[in-house]
Amino acid sequence: MKKLILILTAVLMLAGCAAQTPQATPTPETTPETTTTPESTAKTDSFTGPTVDSVTSASIVQEAYIQDYTPAGFTDSDKEKALFVIGDPRHNSVLWDMARTAMKHMEEQGMEVEMRDLYTMNFNPVLSAADFYYAKDGQGEPSADIKKEQDLVSQADHLIFVYPNWHDSEITIVKGYKEKVFAKKFAYQDGANGLEGLLKDKSYFTIMNCGYLGGGRGYIGDGVGIEDEKWDTYMNAFKVFDDDTSAFWGTTNYGRFVNDRTPGNESENYGEEIEQLRSDLNAFLDKVYFN
């Protein structure tokens, strides 16, 4: 009997050890699944429907309508110069289409255009402790990379920031660019009456693609009759921030072109709709810069 009890005890102990043996942790999938749900296919119209590609939530230009354009950059000429700072890693996005449309149009109107594609540049937006004291207090000298950006800013007559609206502000990589490049003693300094902007005779402008903000394309007063009061509330809020930044740097705020009427990714009328967006943007640029 004792022998039988010992045998049963040993068996139970072995079973317990086996139950506690760690199991292999499943390896997570590295490629997102491309499942389609009823919610992801429903559309109220070609503009307010979801804009989802197979990887991420994004407004993507249909392949047949993707335009490719690279500006010629700055020269030593006396032509007006526009510096585009673009934050979006998706080069087939509607935002990039807007950036290319604007750069092409401004060159066609006689300006020189320089493009800073922050993601392709691998721009580091993080303000380290060492960077902080230069950016905030003007202590020390800028790094070679930041000095290069400041030289372009100095040459430019017009500063144009292009980014998607994330959490009601610019994407981090653009915000980091502003923090690191527009440093004290470069963009502003202490004056007799407080901070004084040093980038006078330059303009400040934003091109932004976004989700629904009330229905509009342009700026204050450019709602399309859906929720115009809501649209203008957003635009006036953006104006407060833009006016403040411009005063900080000494630039003149030229406002924004904001679009929340983005063609649906699978719209049957996509060609007409993206061309209308391009036309509306160019007309707005004409009003701001060329009239």
Side-chain angles (χ1 to χ4, degrees):
M1 178 63 71
K2 287 184 179 180
K3 184 179 291 186
L4 179 61
I5 291 172
L6 289 172
I7 292 172
L8 289 174
T9 301
V11 170
L12 289 172
M13 289 176 67
L14 288 172
C17 290
Q20 295 175 16
T21 302
Q23 300 297 311
T25 302
T27 302
E29 294 291 335
T30 56
T31 303
E33 295 184 0
T34 57
T35 56
T36 301
T37 63
E39 291 78 11
S40 69
T41 56
K43 290 184 175 66
T44 54
D45 61 45
S46 63
F47 288 93
T48 57
T51 52
V52 178
D53 66 18
S54 62
V55 178
T56 184
S57 172
S59 301
I60 301 300
V61 177
Q62 290 184 4
E63 186 174 358
Y65 300 102
I66 293 175
Q67 57 178 341
D68 188 17
Y69 187 80
T70 301
F74 291 167
T75 71
D76 293 333
S77 79
D78 59 359
K79 291 183 178 180
E80 285 189 70
K81 295 172 171 55
L83 178 66
F84 277 71
V85 179
I86 306 170
D88 189 344
R90 304 161 302 194
H91 288 93
N92 61 342
S93 68
V94 170
L95 182 81
W96 258 102
D97 190 85
M98 293 165 65
R100 293 185 180 110
T101 297
M103 291 187 293
K104 181 174 185 287
H105 187 68
M106 295 184 88
E107 283 195 328
E108 288 175 345
Q109 297 303 310
M111 284 192 188
E112 290 187 351
V113 173
E114 179 72 45
M115 177 182 72
R116 309 307 287 157
D117 177 358
L118 299 184
Y119 277 98
T120 298
M121 291 164 54
N122 290 319
F123 183 83
N124 179 8
V126 177
L127 196 63
S128 68
D131 296 331
F132 181 90
Y133 292 104
Y134 168 71
K136 177 67 170 63
D137 301 312
Q139 295 181 10
E141 297 295 328
S143 67
D145 290 345
I146 296 303
K147 182 64 166 61
K148 179 179 179 180
E149 301 307 313
Q150 290 177 342
D151 288 344
L152 291 172
V153 170
S154 295
Q155 294 177 64
D157 300 290
H158 307 289
L159 307 174
I160 301 173
F161 296 90
V162 186
Y163 53 81
N165 177 23
W166 283 19
H167 305 286
D168 295 316
S169 65
E170 61 262 74
I171 194 169
T172 300
I173 201 166
V174 175
K175 182 62 162 62
Y177 185 94
K178 291 179 178 180
E179 291 177 352
K180 296 177 80 170
V181 174
F182 294 83
K184 190 172 185 178
K185 297 184 181 178
F186 170 73
Y188 61 97
Q189 66 183 4
D190 294 317
N193 298 312
L195 294 177
E196 174 189 4
L198 297 175
L199 302 180
K200 297 177 174 64
D201 300 323
K202 300 183 188 298
S203 72
Y204 176 91
F205 187 71
T206 301
I207 296 174
M208 188 175 77
N209 203 43
C210 58
Y212 183 70
L213 296 182
R217 180 175 287 173
Y219 198 43
I220 299 167
D222 292 326
V224 295
I226 302 176
E227 290 186 276
D228 290 349
E229 184 176 352
K230 180 177 182 178
W231 171 266
D232 283 343
T233 297
Y234 274 107
M235 296 307 109
N236 278 293
F238 291 136
K239 184 178 185 300
V240 170
F241 287 107
D242 294 342
D243 282 345
D244 190 64
T245 299
S246 287
F248 197 48
W249 296 348
T251 58
T252 301
N253 178 25
Y254 276 12
R256 295 185 175 220
F257 181 87
V258 180
N259 173 60
D260 80 352
R261 310 303 296 147
T262 303
N265 284 8
E266 299 177 1
S267 171
E268 295 180 356
N269 301 313
Y270 197 91
E272 296 175 10
E273 291 165 0
I274 196 67
E275 284 298 335
Q276 186 62 57
L277 174 56
R278 293 166 180 169
S279 177
D280 291 344
L281 173 55
N282 287 340
F284 195 92
L285 294 173
D286 285 341
K287 182 175 62 175
V288 170
Y289 290 97
F290 305 113
N291 286 341

